[in-house]
Amino acid sequence: MVLREALHVPIPLDDEESATAELPGLASLLRDWRGRAGQRLGLGKPLPQMTVATGLGMSERWYRDLERGGTARFDPRVLALLADVLLLDADERATLYLYAMGGTPSAGPERPEDLRSLQELVDRQMPRPAYLSDRAWNIVGHNAAAAEWFPWMTRPGANFARWALTDPEAREQVHDWNWEARMTLAMIRFALARYPGDESLVALLTDVLRDPVCRRLWAGRACVVANRDGGRFRLRLPHIAAEPVEAIAQVLSPGGRPDLHFVVLTRPDSRW
């Protein structure tokens, strides 16, 4: 098994404060995780590279080269030890394994009948808002309730992540927007590990990082999140209700189209 570094190329930005940003790569994640592990262990500094290497039964030079963006061949046992030493959670472990395997193979050819059958399933979720998005969060289907909650979904080129991160409307409607923005950026980081070099994801990240607030959040701790299944949200939707609306996101991946997100919003008060 060869541990690969993701594409680590500059992304041009127009803002004068930062001319470039970079796609996330394993080397930067390892450095961030090692720093966090040291804090969690009460060291007051990053976990030493020697300590990590010793825990793996490898040389310090071997691990140092890995953090510099080099490649390494090792068995799954060492990969599991690396996750243990760095105190990685489930999504972070998955990210580490994705880099080791070179990402997830692309799904098979898209078939129109797949989306038609999935759209029928989305429509059957009424009155619960439901929608379909692709790997880069482009909206490819939604029901009438989702359009009522989020009119932006009906616009050409609608994209959940771009709306959630850069649209002023989202910053007004989404309670605790800073936290939710961090989680959305964390999902983008995971997706880039799952689909390395995907042009739609790179384009999405490029657009998002043109926003100075998003760029600051991106430059913070390198959090990775696979999805927000079960996540609770509070939304200010004055066109729907006078009071904030609470919702739980149920996120599924269709067996035949694992690159799609099937999202249904339910209410914790069991109204539907």
Side-chain angles (χ1 to χ4, degrees), residues 42-210:
L43 302 180
K45 63 179 182 180
L47 191 66
Q49 290 181 329
M50 175 59 81
T51 302
V52 177
T54 301
L56 305 178
M58 309 297 284
S59 70
E60 182 180 9
R61 179 179 179 181
W62 179 91
Y63 181 74
R64 184 171 61 247
D65 288 344
L66 199 60
E67 281 199 3
R68 288 176 176 172
T71 59
R73 182 180 295 276
F74 50 87
D75 61 43
R77 181 187 63 83
V78 175
L79 200 63
L81 288 173
L82 179 57
D84 289 341
V85 171
L86 295 177
L87 307 177
L88 303 188
D89 63 26
D91 287 348
E92 291 163 345
R93 285 173 178 265
T95 301
L96 179 64
Y97 277 79
L98 283 169
Y99 277 119
M101 296 182 293
T104 300
S106 298
E110 297 182 6
R111 299 180 303 172
E113 58 268 28
D114 291 339
L115 281 182
R116 283 197 296 269
S117 61
L118 288 171
Q119 181 62 53
E120 291 179 6
L121 187 59
V122 167
D123 290 334
R124 288 178 180 274
Q125 301 308 307
M126 292 288 294
R128 295 177 293 271
Y131 65 90
L132 287 165
S133 64
D134 64 16
R135 67 178 66 174
W137 291 276
N138 295 302
I139 303 300
V140 297
H142 59 78
N143 64 8
E148 184 181 9
W149 279 39
F150 308 111
W152 58 267
M153 282 192 180
T154 64
R155 303 170 193 159
N159 180 285
F160 169 80
R162 189 175 284 107
W163 173 82
L165 290 168
T166 66
D167 195 312
E169 179 184 71
R171 300 186 187 190
E172 294 179 2
Q173 293 184 352
V174 178
H175 179 73
D176 198 0
W177 179 85
N178 272 336
W179 169 257
E180 298 300 340
R182 290 179 189 275
M183 294 299 98
T184 302
L185 289 169
M187 289 194 295
I188 293 176
R189 186 175 273 111
F190 183 89
L192 284 164
R194 185 178 182 185
Y195 304 108
D198 183 90
E199 292 183 0
S200 60
L201 287 168
V202 173
L204 171 64
L205 182 61
T206 301
D207 288 347
V208 166
L209 292 186
R210 294 184 190 281

Side-chain angles (χ1 to χ4, degrees), residues 225-237:
V225 172
N227 59 67
R228 298 299 306 282
D229 183 36
R232 292 192 172 219
F233 305 86
R234 291 191 68 198
L235 302 167
R236 301 180 184 92
L237 303 173

